[in-house]
Amino acid sequence: MIRIEQVQKFYQVGRGGVGAQVQALRDINLQIEQGKIFGIIGRSGAGKSTLLRTLNLLERPSSGKILIDGADITQFDAEQLHGLRQRIGMVFQHFNLLSAKTIAENIDFPLKLAGSYSKEQRRQRVDELLDLVGLADQRDKYPAQLSGGQKQRVGIARALANYPTLLLCDEATSALDPETTQSILRLLSDINQKLGLTIVLITHEMQVIRTICDQVAVIDAGEIVETGDVADVFLHPKHTVTQSMVAENLALDLDVLQIRKERENGLLIRLTYVGAAAHEPILSRIAAQTQVQMVILQGTISRIKNTPYGQLLVELIGSSDEINTVLVSLRAADVRADVLGLSGSKY
Ligand SMILES: Nc1ncnc2c1ncn2[C@@H]1O[C@H](COP(=O)(O)OP(=O)(O)OP(=O)(O)O)[C@@H](O)[C@H]1O
Ligand SMILES: [Mg+2]
């Protein structure tokens, strides 16, 4: 269990202590449970990397506490800190591999540094890790000979070498195409399941959060503005920053713009609900109680981690009072209803 308590971080800009300060983190309080995948999402410059790097003290907080299994790591001496860093692996956006070393040597590097394994133990461990990330046949190649996704697999294997209990990922998939991103996210999810280690990842993509995270915190201008289970935050975002990031992500699944042009005269709404089949009884019950005509234009089933959720693009035709009643009934049934606007080509 990790607890971040009232953490602040100021960066000094300018020289000799006379320059201005930038506040990168403001009163951060977070709790991260053992064995979970915890995501931190925010726009560029929000403070994600700074926050992530306080967890292994690559950045030291200006004030506040970071408790890992009850011990405040900001009070650790050099030896304790060394031990801590052995138990924390880190994966980087640009892989940070050693270009003059082979894949096997890159993965061996942290084992060598640890100084506590025999040559034979190291060789076995490297083989095990190569198998785990699916690169057994690439061991003698150099990083330049691998694809981005393969390089990140090496980065992950290296991060896992010393049996960490915590894995930190700084935008681990941001340099990869969508398909490769999915395969790396699957790998991280498998590792979390198989090894039971805690993963804290930062990203600016809601898609990453939605694919593998259990919990999420949203950071904006150095502050946590929202936190909770991914399904809750995703379906009922409270803060405007979260709402806009969720809306961008949901928009990927439905062909709203095209359909809006094709339709004539109604109000377009998007319904989002958890559970693959939950919508039908709700919609038919509500349809039976109203004069509003409800036309289903498109539907998709997607996933939030392992939970299926559905989206429907629906056109409502009727008086504005009646339409309002429909929206209230939908929301009362725990269906998220976003009004997308009027249909018709002039919009
Ligand atoms: N070493 C530093 N010195 C001074 N200011 C810094 C330093 N590192 C970060 N900052 C500032 O702190 C704020 C948070 O930066 P941080 O790198 O944590 O953001 P981020 O959310 O990771 O952004 P990105 O998505 O672009 O990586 C920014 O305003 C940034 O300019
Ligand atoms: Mg960053």
Side-chain angles (χ1 to χ4, degrees):
M1 159 93 90
I2 303 170
R3 290 171 68 101
I4 303 177
E5 293 183 356
Q6 291 173 331
V7 162
Q8 317 251 17
K9 174 72 183 181
F10 296 91
Y11 286 113
Q12 208 67 43
V13 288
R15 266 179 251 158
V18 291
Q21 284 188 329
V22 174
Q23 184 164 11
L25 299 177
R26 295 165 197 270
D27 197 23
I28 305 279
N29 292 286
L30 276 182
Q31 196 160 307
I32 299 172
E33 284 169 53
Q34 184 72 39
K36 299 281 185 194
I37 306 187
F38 192 98
I40 298 168
I41 186 167
R43 309 270 190 208
S44 184
K48 303 180 295 293
S49 296
T50 304
L51 178 56
L52 189 76
R53 291 158 65 93
T54 61
L55 295 178
N56 58 0
L57 293 190
L58 283 181
E59 290 295 351
R60 200 164 261 285
S62 307
S63 63
K65 290 183 184 172
I66 300 197
L67 300 153
I68 299 188
D69 298 330
D72 182 2
I73 63 169
T74 65
Q75 304 299 317
F76 277 9
D77 62 24
E79 194 182 325
Q80 287 172 305
L81 198 54
H82 179 74
L84 175 80
R85 288 192 177 139
Q86 299 263 308
R87 287 181 279 125
I88 302 180
M90 191 151 183
V91 178
F92 303 90
Q93 178 176 3
H94 297 293
F95 327 123
N96 299 11
L97 303 180
L98 299 167
S99 57
K101 291 193 184 291
T102 65
I103 301 318
E105 287 165 351
N106 266 278
I107 299 172
D108 182 45
F109 195 66
L111 295 169
K112 224 171 174 174
L113 281 185
S116 48
Y117 306 101
S118 71
K119 225 174 172 172
E120 179 51 27
Q121 283 172 324
R122 277 168 34 210
R123 200 191 54 74
Q124 271 185 23
R125 181 66 181 147
V126 169
D127 285 348
E128 222 170 76
L129 290 159
L130 282 166
D131 275 340
L132 181 69
V133 300
L135 288 181
D137 52 346
Q138 310 287 324
R139 58 174 302 135
D140 296 322
K141 288 197 178 161
Y142 288 86
Q145 297 171 287
L146 301 189
S147 70
Q150 289 173 320
K151 284 183 204 168
Q152 195 56 293
R153 286 171 186 270
V154 180
I156 291 169
R158 180 188 55 188
L160 295 175
N162 281 311
Y163 304 93
T165 52
L166 172 61
L167 186 66
L168 306 178
C169 303
D170 188 341
E171 299 270 6
T173 56
S174 297
L176 306 174
D177 63 56
E179 211 168 296
T180 314
T181 292
Q182 287 303 312
S183 82
I184 293 294
L185 294 179
R186 263 199 305 277
L187 175 63
L188 289 173
S189 178
D190 284 352
I191 287 167
N192 166 254
Q193 292 285 307
K194 249 190 233 165
L195 310 179
L197 84 179
T198 312
I199 299 180
V200 182
L201 65 83
I202 62 175
T203 180
H204 59 276
E205 292 174 296
M206 205 34 113
Q207 188 66 20
V208 170
I209 299 288
R210 169 181 139 182
T211 307
I212 61 165
C213 293
D214 299 297
Q215 269 103 36
V216 61
V218 183
I219 185 169
D220 184 50
E223 251 177 300
I224 302 294
V225 295
E226 189 157 352
T227 177
D229 287 347
V230 170
D232 286 344
V233 171
F234 198 76
L235 295 177
H236 306 287
K238 294 189 190 75
H239 193 273
T240 50
V241 169
T242 322
Q243 285 167 352
S244 74
M245 286 189 300
V246 167
E248 282 163 27
N249 183 262
L250 287 174
L252 295 176
D253 295 343
L254 293 174
D255 202 9
V256 175
L257 284 180
Q258 188 52 38
I259 286 181
R260 184 180 283 191
K261 280 197 196 116
E262 288 165 5
R263 300 296 303 178
E264 290 293 321
N265 50 7
L267 184 72
L268 278 185
I269 62 169
R270 176 178 53 217
L271 306 181
T272 313
Y273 49 87
V274 175
H279 66 284
E280 283 182 28
I282 295 171
L283 277 190
S284 48
R285 176 171 59 74
I286 293 171
Q289 294 164 355
T290 175
Q291 300 297 312
V292 175
Q293 203 185 326
M294 299 167 75
V295 188
I296 296 177
L297 301 173
Q298 196 181 7
T300 64
I301 305 275
S302 317
R303 276 174 186 278
I304 302 172
K305 195 155 188 180
N306 301 319
T307 309
Y309 76 95
Q311 288 192 81
L312 289 178
L313 192 60
V314 177
E315 189 179 36
L316 302 181
I317 303 165
S319 75
S320 56
D321 274 0
E322 283 178 327
I323 285 179
N324 266 332
T325 310
V326 167
L327 292 176
V328 169
S329 312
L330 284 166
R331 288 169 183 153
D334 216 25
V335 176
R336 179 178 161 168
D338 294 310
V339 174
L340 303 176
L342 300 168
S343 47
S345 54
K346 58 180 182 291
Y347 298 105

